[in-house]
Amino acid sequence: MKDKHEQLLKYLCMFVLGFAIGFGIVPKAYGSPENPERVCLAQNIYFEAGNQPVAGKIAVAQVVINRVQDGQFPDNVCDVVYQTKKWRTSWKGNQIPVLGQCQFSWFCDGKSDEPTDSTTWIESYILAERVLSGDWDDITEGALWYHADYIMPYWAYQLNRTVYINDHIFYK
């Protein structure tokens, strides 16, 4: 059943993608005047869990939502996603995050933050909308942090593990 749901979502995304791109409905990254939080959340899903099954993508999105609702973090999706400890001025005069100082590694890895895989982007965008609409219960059990299962960050030993979903381990 789970595989059928994921396959149906992929086909839906491919169908919607052609329509959305053709009519300019799918916004570029870094926000949309209509709903910047949806775009910010979609970016985080895309870059943090784009290679994961649907459950992994939803779980990553729910951590962002949990952070928004927790007093330790900023109170909106975009500020949570783009939260960083340090900024620096690039050679072009732009403010950019310092490598390794962001809450989510993709934002300060020095690579482009523009999605390149259209199917994964539209799926991330649709899932972001559904997570923001509250379509699913929190499958992370209130997690505020996660990491890939092939690394072990120093902070993981200080937290309580909640769930293991696909390639990510979640904590609160």
Side-chain angles (χ1 to χ4, degrees), residues 26-47:
V26 179
K28 290 191 106 180
Y30 289 118
S32 153
E34 298 83 36
N35 191 338
E37 291 202 339
R38 182 185 322 147
V39 176
C40 294
L41 188 58
Q43 255 193 314
N44 205 56
I45 294 167
Y46 178 90
F47 287 110

Side-chain angles (χ1 to χ4, degrees), residues 57-75:
K57 292 175 181 165
I58 292 169
V60 162
Q62 288 177 325
V63 166
V64 173
I65 301 304
N66 292 344
R67 286 183 176 196
V68 168
Q69 296 169 350
D70 188 278
Q72 302 173 69
F73 299 94
D75 61 0

Side-chain angles (χ1 to χ4, degrees), residues 109-130:
D109 62 5
K111 298 176 185 174
S112 172
D113 295 338
E114 289 292 327
T116 57
D117 177 350
S118 299
T119 303
T120 303
W121 172 245
I122 194 70
E123 181 182 19
S124 299
Y125 192 77
I126 291 168
L127 288 172
E129 173 66 25
R130 294 195 60 196

Side-chain angles (χ1 to χ4, degrees), residues 46-121:
Y46 178 90
F47 287 110
E48 288 285 308
N51 65 342
Q52 299 293 302
V54 173
K57 292 175 181 165
I58 292 169
V60 162
Q62 288 177 325
V63 166
V64 173
I65 301 304
N66 292 344
R67 286 183 176 196
V68 168
Q69 296 169 350
D70 188 278
Q72 302 173 69
F73 299 94
D75 61 0
N76 70 71
V77 170
C78 292
D79 287 350
V80 165
V81 169
Y82 304 131
Q83 186 178 11
T84 183
K85 293 178 185 175
K86 295 181 182 177
W87 294 87
R88 69 177 181 84
T89 304
S90 74
W91 65 274
K92 292 182 178 181
N94 303 328
Q95 288 289 56
I96 60 173
V98 174
L99 294 175
Q101 298 295 309
C102 299
Q103 291 291 313
F104 299 104
S105 60
W106 66 268
F107 183 53
C108 62
D109 62 5
K111 298 176 185 174
S112 172
D113 295 338
E114 289 292 327
T116 57
D117 177 350
S118 299
T119 303
T120 303
W121 172 245

